[in-house]
DNA sequence: TAAAAATTGTCAAGCGCTTGACAATTCATC
DNA sequence: GATGAATTGTCAAGCGCTTGACAATTTTTA
């Protein structure tokens, strides 16, 4: 690897001048700049970022801690984030936490050791104190990590409300909600709260079924199938994510339940992927790009020491589909 | 951030001793080790990886260049890779090249500047010479980058063959193949070659329809719909990826074609995601985990200077589903 | 208890770059 | 051709760590 000194030698200037060119400071004539750039090209030179960062420059590295990009939801979000970060001159270190506390801890240490400029995270398995120890800019997606850590999210309560009301308005009387975990302090639980509120307002009984965090889909399928089989009165299902809604749709149709006539289904997230490949699924659409932009904007604000303003949840939107059409006939 | 010197001070030992503990060399008593570890914990110390790498240590960074993790196929692959890399002590820098040559070039420069130990890539928009300039261990997934760069892939020819034969054996006589791009020098084109060979052996006429690299699904949908509408004799479709197969299935059913009675469909890839959420789709299943393991094993071999043995393509497997059942009645 | 072995300390150079201070050179201007 | 401004060079310290050489100290062993 060519070094700055090599470039200087080839360009016939001093190392300091090369550094001046790289960092664009001091006064420089066009002629020298050209010479230096030519030498860089000739040597295929790239400044050693380790050395640059060691001597004070920012690393321009950002850590992304998400459960797993194998989940299309996070895959799409991470893709958006990476694109935006790249455009802003940042590099992305990917961390799939797998909802594993030890791994998450290891990732935080590692990111600190690598001197990242900031972290965006969407997992939460560690205690608040562990996050407060991190002396790094952090932004959370849909998680309460610590009082000091800004949260970017969309309006989960509103989303839950819209979904529940849609089901009720279309005549559902026995509406079940499927979630991963019934009790968490996370913002996403607002969906569940809203669902319960709406049903109670309509004098209906909320019924929340937790499916757990298992990645084994067959287990989920079985739970869903059993639920539907055991209770033929169920006429509406609200899932806290689209993939689960997909399973409900498939299982319901296999059981001979007519969707949406007998059973109406609505999911949550509405990623571009779902929109493209499963437009039949009604869902609550999160503002995907806006969330990505806001996450990055908030993080860069923290990095640059600008106070992150209080963040309002972004609005969500009902996207109807075959599984829940909106007829006001 | 605490430094090595701070740790030394707290532990009451010399900086050199702390370094010895970190790197586990020289002779050290258990007592000092304990003291030093205690001091590290107390200060929440993490060695500065920039400094370590600058003074000769490897960075333990690996760059992953893939079109985009928003595509579930790459999302799952990248997740596997990241997990395996993490287990092996490597950190992952994620690069979504978006099939964009400029971006890919920028990524390569960036990764070099960050002194990554190696690169795994699955895009190919740059010239061979540009890859040969990179003086870094590189492993390619399913791409011909340069003669010197090892390729990990599964057996594309075999996969194409199995798919085509399955369709033929089930009575299809007018079999269309949908690909992204008809002419590429990539290994994935072997699927198409095999398809053509099989059809010719059976005195059938191959018909390859390219859909392009567009990410706009509605365009693809339209092309597919038109294709099916214009030619009712089509009774078999082989798609070079599962997502396209999904579109064919949806469009076909909307057009009233009975699947699999009137039209049989087979996709390609067979990711865990598809297996879980679309078991109805027949497909050629790539050995997902094996590919991931082999990619990493090959890369680490290159990094450690061990000669990468010639790599045989891994075997693929037919996974039947409702869209193409295997009845030999 | 002396000699050998193990442990720890001191010192210094170096990884590649940035940055400030200051000197030397070139340039434009009147 | 002198004056001040712009440009470039020289020099050195430092970022945090590693590593080798060697000295000083402690522990172990015979």
């Amino acid at each position: 690897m060519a070094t700055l000194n090599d470039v200087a030698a080839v360009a016939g200037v001093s190392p300091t001048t090369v550094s001046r060119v790289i960092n664009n400071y001091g006064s420089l004539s066009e002629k020298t700049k050209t010479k230096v750039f030519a030498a860089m090209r000739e040597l295929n030179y790239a400044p050693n970022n380790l050395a640059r960062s060691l001597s004070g420059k920012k690393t321009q590295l950002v850590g992304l801690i998400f459960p797993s990009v194998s989940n299309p939801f996070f895959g799409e979000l991470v893709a958006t984030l990476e694109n935006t970060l790249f455009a802003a001159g940042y590099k992305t270190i990917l961390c799939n936490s797998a909802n594993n506390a030890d791994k998450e801890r290891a990732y935080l240490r590692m990111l600190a050791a690598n001197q990242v400029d900031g972290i965006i995270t969407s997992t939460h398995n560690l205690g608040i104190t562990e996050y407060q120890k991190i002396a790094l800019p952090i932004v959370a997606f849909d998680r309460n990590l610590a009082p000091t850590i800004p949260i970017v999210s969309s309006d989960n309560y509103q989303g839950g409300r819209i979904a529940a009301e849609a089901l009720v308005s279309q005549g559902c009387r026995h509406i079940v909600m499927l979630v991963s975990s019934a009790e968490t302090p996370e913002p996403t639980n607002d969906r569940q709260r809203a669902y319960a509120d709406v049903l109670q307002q309509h004098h209906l009984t909320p019924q929340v079924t937790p499916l757990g965090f298992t990645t084994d889909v067959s287990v989920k399928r079985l739970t869903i199938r059993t639920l539907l089989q055991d209770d033929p009165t169920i006429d509406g299902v609200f899932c806290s994510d689209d993939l689960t809604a997909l399973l409900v749709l498939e299982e319901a149709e296999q059981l001979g339940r007519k969707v949406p006539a007998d059973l109406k289904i609505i999911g949550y997230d509405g990623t571009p992927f779902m929109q493209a490949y499963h437009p039949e699924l009604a869902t609550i659409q999160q503002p995907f790009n806006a969330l990505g932009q806001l996450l990055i904007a908030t993080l860069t604000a923290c990095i640059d020491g600008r106070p992150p303003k209080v963040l309002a949840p972004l609005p969500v939107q009902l996207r109807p589909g075959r599984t829940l059409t909106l007829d006001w006939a």
Side-chain angles (χ1 to χ4, degrees), chain A:
Chain A
M1 276 265 94
T3 74
L4 181 144
N5 283 298
D6 300 334
V7 175
V10 169
V13 301
S14 76
T16 303
T17 300
V18 177
S19 179
R20 283 185 181 125
V21 172
I22 293 173
N23 297 289
N24 197 39
Y25 88 110
S27 63
L28 293 163
S29 69
E30 280 308 317
K31 213 174 63 186
T32 7
K33 280 194 200 170
T34 314
K35 268 196 305 187
V36 171
F37 283 131
M40 288 182 172
R41 188 137 327 150
E42 184 184 334
L43 294 172
N44 196 29
Y45 170 79
N48 185 325
N49 280 339
L50 301 177
R52 299 192 79 195
S53 303
L54 229 208
S55 46
K57 295 279 184 189
K58 298 225 296 279
T59 55
Q60 302 289 111
L61 283 169
V62 166
L64 257 37
I65 311 183
F66 284 82
S68 174
V69 287
S70 67
N71 180 317
F73 178 75
F74 292 119
E76 295 205 66
L77 187 52
V78 165
T80 303
L81 292 176
E82 196 278 330
N83 288 334
T84 315
L85 284 170
F86 179 78
Y90 287 96
K91 307 128 205 172
T92 300
I93 295 188
L94 179 64
C95 306
N96 292 130
S97 64
N99 287 314
N100 171 340
D102 286 338
K103 223 181 160 194
E104 194 171 341
R105 211 185 323 271
Y107 274 130
L108 287 174
R109 286 198 78 70
M110 179 275 276
L111 292 173
N114 277 72
Q115 318 296 123
V116 297
D117 290 340
I119 295 175
I120 296 177
T121 179
S122 179
T123 36
H124 185 194
N125 310 292
L126 303 179
I128 287 183
T129 53
E130 304 200 58
Y131 277 102
Q132 282 171 332
K133 263 201 297 194
I134 313 291
L136 277 172
I138 306 193
V139 176
F141 173 62
D142 244 354
R143 306 286 140 157
N144 279 311
L145 297 186
T148 52
I149 296 178
I151 304 174
V152 169
S153 69
S154 56
D155 196 333
N156 287 294
Y157 189 86
Q158 181 70 0
R161 172 148 218 109
I162 294 174
E165 277 173 350
L167 288 168
V168 172
S169 80
Q170 294 307 301
C172 298
R173 285 296 163 267
H174 185 171
I175 303 169
V176 174
M177 177 164 185
L178 300 182
V179 300
S180 329
S181 162
E183 328 253 332
T184 76
E186 303 302 347
T188 45
N189 247 42
D190 285 351
R191 300 175 192 172
Q192 187 178 328
R193 246 186 53 231
Y195 155 82
D197 288 354
V198 167
L199 261 63
Q200 264 151 10
Q201 277 165 24
H202 289 272
H203 310 293
L204 300 172
T205 315
Q207 177 185 340
V208 175
T209 301
L211 294 177
F213 284 109
T214 174
T215 50
D216 185 344
V217 170
S218 59
V219 172
K220 287 194 184 174
R221 281 201 127 97
L222 190 62
T223 312
I224 291 167
R225 169 174 292 256
T226 309
L227 180 74
L228 292 177
Q229 255 172 343
D230 287 0
D231 196 339
T233 68
I234 295 173
D235 56 3
V237 180
F238 172 28
C239 301
S240 65
D241 69 294
D242 284 336
L243 291 183
T244 303
L246 220 52
L247 294 182
V248 174
L249 176 57
E250 288 176 9
E251 291 301 320
E253 291 189 330
Q254 274 184 28
L255 289 173
R257 298 280 250 280
K258 296 289 174 219
V259 178
D262 303 347
L263 182 72
K264 304 190 203 313
I265 305 170
I266 186 165
Y268 208 104
D269 287 342
T271 59
F273 175 79
M274 276 293 159
Q275 184 156 16
Y277 292 95
H278 287 286
E280 78 276 15
L281 185 69
T283 191
I284 302 296
Q285 188 170 349
Q286 299 204 57
F288 221 70
N289 284 317
L291 284 170
Q293 306 296 325
L294 186 56
L295 278 166
I296 304 296
T298 308
L299 185 68
T300 52
C302 291
I303 290 174
D304 300 344
R306 283 175 281 129
K309 332 144 195 170
V310 178
L311 299 167
L314 300 179
V316 297
Q317 203 183 332
L318 174 68
R319 197 178 70 211
R322 176 171 63 83
T323 65
L324 173 60
T325 49
L326 286 191
D327 303 323
W328 303 96

